[in-house]
Structures are given as structure tokens and as C-alpha cells.
Amino acid sequence: MMVMVNDFGAINIDKALIEAQDDDVIALTNGCICCTMGTDLFLALGDALDRRPRPDHLIIEASGIADPAAIANTAIAEPDLIYSGIVTLVDALNINALLSDPLVSPQVAQQMAAADLLVQTKCAQRVADVDNACQNNGLPLPVIVEPSAVSILTLGAKLSNEASVASVHPDYVTWYVSDSPVLDHARLTTALKDRPEWLFRLKGFVRTEQGLQEIHVVGKSIDIKVVQDNTEASLVALGVRGRFTKEAMDVWWQGVTGASSSIAHQQT
């Protein structure tokens, strides 16, 4: 099995988060993240098919703002591939807020509607907001499984060769920082709890006096944990254009660090 990993920033944080990395992982960055991943996806598919032995299965792990229908249509157009379905992960803690946001909700609903299989995450029990969201959109209730089982479910998703209609998505802006100073852990956690509402997504690695920290922030969820110091410190943020600006993010981040640091930006 081979996995293609796509992230929404110039730094592929998702690839660094994969526990077991070897020749069966292809990282994609700087493609058209919201639509088809651009030319990078075509080249990566060709790379995968040229390998000997060829992988038996190919899983494309797209970013959370990607359009699964458009990516699936790219795979369907490749004659040497048999399309086996889309798995969409439904965030149980944040789905209600996402579907209530007029800018984001059409894309979220389309991601769910395009799925051959819906999988609930962030909670091991049934959640009323998730069930209601599915019922209101005429969708089946999602299954609840251990995270490690998602790839297995992907391989068994409903076979379909029908192309889906790609969605119109909001305009996103991404921001990233690398080589940040060692942060005060208490100051970092306070800043994350009090983060601006326009900060839609934040993830990556930073260093504090407690060591290298892996950070995930989305909606109501904040996850910080110490990890093995075997990767570079880098952080990626995402927001909707018009709400999120790189200048405002710079100001917020400098408040976290207490000083200026190496900041870079990418807009999509």
C-alpha cells in the first residue's frame, strides 16, 4: 500500500506526523490544495504506477480543505487505477460550528455528500450534532471506529466509477513559521486558549522548555503533546480570506513568542 500525503501549506506537516515513514509515502506540497492538488497529483500518480513492484492500493490523504470529488475525478481519469471510494472524516466536536458558518458550510456539506463512507472522529460515542447533520443532508450516519482502522475501511469503501461534481470553496489564506525561538509553555497554552476566532486551523511543531511539542488546533479542540525531537520546528495556520490575514497572524504569533521570528507566508 502507498499513501500520498497532502498539506495546505508549503511545509508538509502531515507527512512529518506519520509514525512510520518509508518508500511507501509520497508527500505533496504547494499544489492546488482545494481542488485537485494540481500537476503534483498527476506526477505523483505516475510515480506510484512506475514503481516496481507496483503498490496494491493507493490512498490519497488530502488536507481538510481539499475537494474529495475533484481529487477522485483525477484518479478515475487514470486508466491504470480502479477507483474504490472516498472516506470523509466528520469532526464530532466541531461539525455543528462548521455547518453553521455561511462561508465554510457549503464545502463541508459537499465533502460529506461526496463520501462513500463517513467516519466520525474526536468522540467514541454517537453525537447528536453529527447525526443531525447527516440526517439534515440526507446522508447515512457515520461509523465510529478506532483511528487505526480508517485505512482498512478505505480499502473496503464502496466501488464507484461515477465522477462527482466538484464544489465551490471559500478562498483560504495560509501562514507558516519555521525556526521559532524556544517558547514559554504556559504562555503558549494560554495564547492557544485565547486565540482569535478567525484562526481556523493550526498545526505543527514548536519547542518549549519541556521539549518539542506537537500542536493541533481546530475549532474547540486543542491538543499539545511532547514528542520525540526528530523533526524541525515549523507551524502552519489557515483561515478564510477576509477574516484571516497574514499581518494579523504575525501580530498574534509575535505575542506568543515575545519577539519577532522567522515568518513566511503562502496565500491560496
Side-chain angles (χ1 to χ4, degrees), residues 9-153:
I11 304 172
N12 198 318
I13 299 293
D14 284 344
K15 183 175 185 293
L17 296 174
I18 295 177
E19 293 183 2
Q21 296 185 35
D22 51 33
D23 292 339
D24 293 331
V25 177
I26 297 177
L28 303 173
T29 54
N30 292 328
C32 183
I33 52 176
C34 304
C35 300
T36 64
M37 300 181 187
T39 306
D40 284 352
L41 179 56
F42 288 100
L43 295 176
L45 289 175
D47 182 5
L49 294 172
D50 287 342
R51 296 195 180 194
R52 294 294 182 269
R54 275 188 176 184
D56 295 325
H57 298 89
L58 179 63
I59 296 177
I60 301 173
E61 195 280 312
S63 75
I65 60 173
D67 183 346
I71 294 172
N73 289 341
T74 302
I76 291 172
E78 173 52 63
D80 286 347
L81 293 177
I82 299 175
Y83 170 65
S84 295
I86 294 170
V87 176
T88 297
L89 306 183
V90 182
D91 184 335
L93 300 183
N94 297 299
I95 188 62
N96 194 42
L98 291 171
L99 290 175
S100 298
D101 187 321
L103 290 180
V104 176
S105 60
Q107 184 181 25
V108 174
Q110 189 276 341
Q111 289 175 330
M112 295 171 64
D116 296 294
L117 181 67
L118 291 172
V119 177
Q120 177 180 298
T121 65
K122 304 288 180 66
C123 186
Q125 306 296 326
R126 298 235 67 92
V127 175
D129 284 345
V130 176
D131 291 353
N132 291 337
C134 292
Q135 292 170 347
N136 291 340
N137 287 278
L139 301 173
L141 299 185
V143 299
I144 303 175
V145 296
E146 292 293 326
S148 59
V150 172
S151 61
I152 297 175
L153 288 172

Side-chain angles (χ1 to χ4, degrees), residues 156-190:
K158 180 181 66 177
L159 181 65
S160 172
N161 287 316
E162 296 180 1
S164 301
V165 178
S167 67
V168 176
H169 55 74
D171 206 6
Y172 293 102
V173 178
T174 61
W175 170 102
Y176 70 89
V177 63
S178 58
D179 299 325
S180 65
V182 176
L183 306 178
D184 179 88
H185 189 81
R187 186 173 189 167
L188 172 64
T189 54
T190 298

Side-chain angles (χ1 to χ4, degrees), residues 183-199 202 215 217 222 224 235 249 251-258:
L183 306 178
D184 179 88
H185 189 81
R187 186 173 189 167
L188 172 64
T189 54
T190 298
L192 293 177
K193 291 177 182 177
D194 297 335
R195 66 193 180 279
E197 292 183 357
W198 42 257
L199 182 51
L202 183 71
I215 296 177
V217 177
I222 301 175
I224 308 175
L235 201 62
M249 189 65 195
V251 171
W252 178 81
W253 178 246
Q254 288 169 4
V256 177
T257 63

